Amino acid sequence: MRSPLALRLVGLALLQTPLSGFTPVGLPARSLAPAHHNHNHDQHHTQQRRWATAAPDADLEESGHILGFGDPDHEETILQQICTQRRKDVEAARAKVSVAELEAQAAEFAAAHGGPISLFDRVVAAAPRLAVAAEFKRASPSKGDIAVDVAAGTQGELYAGAGASVISILTEGKWFKGSLEDMREVRLATQALVGATDKGRPAILRKDFIIDEYQLHEARAFGADTVLLIVAVLGRSELRGLIEKCRELGMEPLVEVANNVEAEIAALAGARVVGVNNRNLHTFKLDMLTTPRVSSKFRELGMPFGGEEPERLLLALSGIMGPEDLNFGDAGIAGILVGEALMRAADPAAAIQNLLGDAESTSTTPLVKVCGVTSPEDAAAACAAGANLIGAIFAKSKRQVDVAQAAAIVQRVRAFGERDAALPVKQKILTSGEEDFAEHFRSCGNLIKLATARRPGVVGVFMDQPVDLVLSAVAEAGVDLIQLHGDETWEEVKAVVDGAAVPVIKVLHVPVDADVAAESLLEDAKAAAAAGCVALLLDSSLPGQKGGTGIAFDWALAKNMGEAGVPVIVAGGLGGSAGDTKACLEQSGFLALGVDASSGVEASPGVKDAEKVRTYVKEAKAAAL
């Protein structure tokens, strides 16, 4: 006798039986139709524009998860706009190259380079480690341009050499600026890297908005091993048909879901490799708890993930910027997909190794701070360039911001990093500055690096201001760290440390017109550690001016501090000319915790020059490689 759950699944399966002559609103049935069938495309395009039209009950069963379940206020989302465009793209491509021609190209490609390898097997082979699906993505609707000029084949070689099990290539052109040629380049480059007969090469995934069988033939013709099928854009019968067609062509698809409704649809369609998009593709909102919820839904259906001989696999597909994002509990994930973080990384291979468990790859890259930011636009540009820290100055300065301006900067930086709270650095501190000050600074420095490696933070800069004012501004603006840049007493520093929910960086001033011994700086370092500071910043000073001098001090001091076990952030005279940041890091013996630039990357006081910022950040990140 069948269990209630089994009967429920059978009943749902019967409800999904395709209806004769039925076409879902907004979803042309041509993807499953015979090649000779003549469709009225004008009618389909009219349907595509009427996403808000309430659909009959049968339509809701087939495609309600796409159409807002009959909600008359449902509006066309960016996802649906993309799919409307992709249908036009498919028809244009079909008019130029027939399915028969694509099949011939696929056969020719397979004869020369081998047929598709199994996505399922490739992911399983990575165990007990997580399989990493490294993504090649030039741009996105939510983040704009990411790395439009990167060579696809070269990036693919880096991914493969670092141990990626899968390489995902965005092939949509309008919003993501990808192409089928990008995918072909990656396939050929990675094949050459590992040898034409070596089955250890990464599986090549066509990541696109697949709504038509024609796109599956394209994928095979350009060297794909698998494709992404997004439940959010496919009717139930369409999904089943595309899964069957994929397998007929020798590909096991990756089926993407973003909620429990889609999870059940994927389960009933027979998906074996399920990917959870933690980002809602209709709203682009990120929710990292989506993966465990979907895993629980599959368990509820009697289809759990994991085990020594898994029947199905679960991958987490979005929002993963570093190891700190891999907290999925007992969800049973077998792999992760990482895109933007790798495309922005100075060393993509090191970033992959970091995800696979090599934490040293993060600790060798310096923190890069852009200070004196006065607008959300400049903050966003610095984040996009790869800066780890954005400095907002509350002290009297040409670059001074008030609490409201700082809060706007914080909001933009948080949006970039897709978070809604301060970075959790202070909560993770396990060392005491009173016991071993050098170990304390090394440990806290690595915590800051890990926290800001993929999600930038905002530093509130204060100078000799009342403790109550500092604490109030920090809480109201929501900054992630505090920088005390003046001559605060150690009692005042400790009062800020004890009263704030975020960690404190203390600046030590280095006169450019006098000799300073590392020994005296180390004494100050001990006092700063005892007060609870997490990092030190050395900045140039002139009589009557602390910071913003645009003049460098003797960078050998940073090396001396590093050799004594206290890595410091270096500021003063950086970013103004090509090569100065690299020279700073070289003279510090690559022992500096990071670098900080303000006036050197400006078009005018308080206004950043985006190109100077990009050059400065790139130089700093590349110097350590």
Side-chain angles (χ1 to χ4, degrees), residues 90-436:
V90 167
E91 292 312 309
R94 198 195 313 268
K96 294 178 181 178
V97 182
S98 69
V99 169
E101 290 173 299
L102 289 175
E103 289 175 332
Q105 291 175 21
E108 182 179 349
F109 189 98
H113 307 292
I117 61 176
S118 167
L119 170 65
F120 192 98
D121 292 347
R122 224 28 215 101
V123 173
V124 168
R129 278 184 164 183
L130 288 176
V132 173
E135 187 158 276
F136 183 80
K137 176 166 61 176
R138 298 185 183 278
S140 77
S142 60
K143 296 296 178 68
D145 289 353
I146 297 172
V148 293
D149 298 323
V150 173
T154 302
Q155 190 83 350
E157 288 178 345
L158 291 172
Y159 290 168
S165 299
V166 180
I167 299 181
S168 166
I169 302 95
L170 264 297
T171 59
E172 191 280 328
K174 181 175 180 179
W175 281 272
F176 293 86
K177 300 187 179 180
S179 68
L180 286 165
E181 193 55 44
D182 282 342
M183 184 173 69
R184 179 183 172 86
E185 287 181 19
V186 172
R187 168 65 191 273
L188 294 177
T190 55
Q191 185 113 359
L193 185 68
V194 301
T197 61
D198 187 348
K199 292 299 183 182
R201 70 171 177 83
I204 304 300
L205 167 71
R206 180 184 186 183
K207 189 173 184 184
D208 207 318
F209 301 84
I210 305 293
I211 39 81
D212 196 297
E213 284 185 5
Y214 184 86
Q215 294 166 289
L216 306 183
H217 291 288
E218 282 183 324
R220 288 289 297 110
F222 282 80
D225 298 296
T226 181
V227 300
L228 181 73
L229 299 179
I230 304 174
V231 175
V233 304
L234 296 168
R236 295 170 186 256
S237 59
E238 285 187 303
L239 176 63
R240 290 198 304 276
L242 288 171
I243 290 175
E244 291 169 4
K245 187 62 179 179
C246 282
R247 290 169 180 163
E248 180 184 317
L249 295 174
M251 301 186 293
E252 183 60 46
L254 173 61
V255 179
E256 177 186 304
V257 304
N259 53 54
N260 283 356
V261 172
E262 294 174 8
E264 187 162 310
I265 291 169
L268 294 168
R272 295 190 69 215
V273 186
V274 177
V276 180
N277 196 337
N278 295 302
R279 187 189 311 284
N280 183 316
L281 285 177
H282 292 289
T283 65
F284 282 88
K285 182 176 175 59
L286 189 69
D287 179 0
M288 297 301 286
L289 295 177
T290 305
T291 293
R293 282 198 298 267
V294 166
S295 178
S296 296
K297 182 63 177 178
F298 270 82
R299 281 198 298 271
E300 177 189 315
L301 295 173
M303 302 177 178
F305 295 103
E308 294 184 6
E309 296 183 3
E311 296 182 11
R312 59 196 60 81
L313 302 172
L314 182 66
L315 279 67
L317 300 186
S318 56
I320 297 166
M321 305 294 276
E324 67 277 9
D325 297 313
L326 302 180
N327 300 315
F328 294 112
D330 62 351
I333 66 168
I336 54 175
L337 184 144
V338 186
E340 180 188 343
L342 298 182
M343 293 300 293
R344 294 189 189 278
D347 186 346
I352 290 175
Q353 290 162 1
N354 185 36
L355 286 166
L356 292 173
D358 177 14
E360 290 301 313
S361 60
T362 296
S363 63
T364 58
T365 304
L367 286 169
V368 182
K369 179 168 175 267
V370 176
C371 201
V373 173
T374 60
S375 71
E377 293 74 23
D378 281 353
C383 291
N388 304 99
L389 297 171
I390 310 299
I393 299 175
F394 290 81
K396 187 175 181 181
S397 162
K398 296 176 182 177
R399 304 165 185 87
Q400 184 178 16
V401 297
D402 58 28
V403 170
Q405 289 173 300
I409 290 169
V410 168
Q411 184 177 17
R412 183 64 65 90
V413 174
R414 286 188 182 182
F416 181 90
E418 297 181 303
R419 57 187 176 91
D420 54 13
L423 294 170
V425 176
K426 190 169 185 178
Q427 302 91 311
K428 296 182 179 181
I429 297 173
L430 300 176
T431 54
S432 168
E434 295 179 334
E435 296 177 2
D436 185 336

Side-chain angles (χ1 to χ4, degrees), residues 484-554:
L484 297 179
H485 205 95
D487 293 321
E488 296 87 0
T489 66
W490 295 120
E491 289 76 13
E492 290 171 329
V493 172
K494 187 170 185 350
V496 173
V497 169
D498 291 344
V502 297
V504 175
I505 298 170
K506 182 68 182 82
V507 173
L508 304 182
H509 300 285
V510 182
V512 296
D513 55 356
D515 291 332
V516 177
E519 288 75 17
S520 66
L521 293 176
L522 286 172
E523 287 303 312
D524 285 338
K526 290 179 182 177
C533 296
V534 297
L536 300 174
L537 186 151
L538 302 188
D539 194 7
S540 304
S541 67
L542 293 170
Q545 184 177 357
K546 295 181 174 65
T549 64
I551 302 173
F553 61 85
D554 182 1

